[in-house]
Amino acid sequence: MKFLRRLFVLAIMATLLWCGGLIWFTSRVGSYAAMPRKAQVEAIVVLTGGRMRFEEGFALLKAGYAQHMFVSGAGHGVTVRDLFMAASSECTAEDMVAMAQIEVGHEALDTRGNAQEVAQWTAERHITSLLIVTSGYHMPRSLLYLHEALPKDTRIVPFAV
């Protein structure tokens, strides 16, 4: 009987801990959606894998939030034009100029791979500030891996889609 009582108490504690973690996670996810102040980063980084990520990153690039954009984790052979055409049916002259500022990475297969690919890309270009565009639920894990992979002085601004 004592064993069952301890097991019950442990189950209650585990459930409360899990609920607390869920509440913490959902409160963090909502905090990433605030629009960042304009022109505070050198590059926009879009982590592929979800709806509207490229579109939001492209809109931020066109709005002048950064001069460069990197799309991490695109499928092999996928080009900037492919990403744009999947997102929009119309291409203006302004869009063509903005597309020239975008590079696509094809090596990342998961979130850790995204971080490594972004770290390599930023190191090659001496970029020290990034606006990260990904889904809200994906942001905490992405930031964890990016903080591990990037130099400590790299400024990361999250923007959740």
Side-chain angles (χ1 to χ4, degrees):
M1 193 61 153
K2 221 177 205 183
F3 173 75
L4 288 177
R5 182 174 287 150
R6 285 184 180 169
L7 186 60
F8 179 73
V9 169
L10 280 174
I12 294 293
M13 289 174 61
T15 301
L16 290 174
L17 187 61
W18 182 85
C19 288
L22 182 62
I23 290 168
W24 174 83
F25 177 79
T26 56
S27 70
R28 295 284 297 163
V29 167
S31 69
Y32 298 125
M35 182 62 75
R37 287 197 314 245
K38 192 166 183 152
Q40 64 178 5
V41 295
E42 296 172 80
I44 297 164
V45 172
V46 175
L47 306 180
T48 59
R51 293 190 42 192
M52 299 303 295
R53 295 179 190 185
F54 177 79
E55 293 87 333
E56 289 287 339
F58 191 69
L60 292 166
L61 180 69
K62 282 179 47 177
Y65 281 80
Q67 295 299 311
H68 307 281
M69 184 167 127
F70 181 63
V71 180
S72 176
H76 286 283
V78 173
T79 66
V80 173
R81 184 146 180 86
D82 295 334
L83 292 168
F84 181 82
M85 295 311 288
S88 176
S89 60
E90 189 177 312
C91 187
T92 67
E94 181 186 13
D95 293 336
M96 294 297 285
V97 170
M99 282 194 292
Q101 298 170 290
I102 303 172
E103 294 180 61
V104 179
H106 301 98
E107 300 305 315
L109 300 175
D110 57 16
T111 307
R112 190 177 298 274
N114 285 137
Q116 292 166 348
E117 189 171 59
V118 170
Q120 181 179 347
W121 184 82
T122 57
E124 290 169 359
R125 286 149 190 81
H126 308 288
I127 291 174
T128 60
S129 59
L130 302 169
L131 177 65
I132 304 299
V133 179
T134 191
S135 299
Y137 68 86
H138 187 234
M139 191 64 75
R141 188 173 68 240
S142 299
L143 292 176
L144 177 71
Y145 290 143
L146 285 165
H147 283 296
E148 286 177 1
L150 293 166
K152 299 299 176 214
D153 62 342
T154 303
R155 189 164 46 98
I156 299 172
V157 178
F159 180 73
V161 176

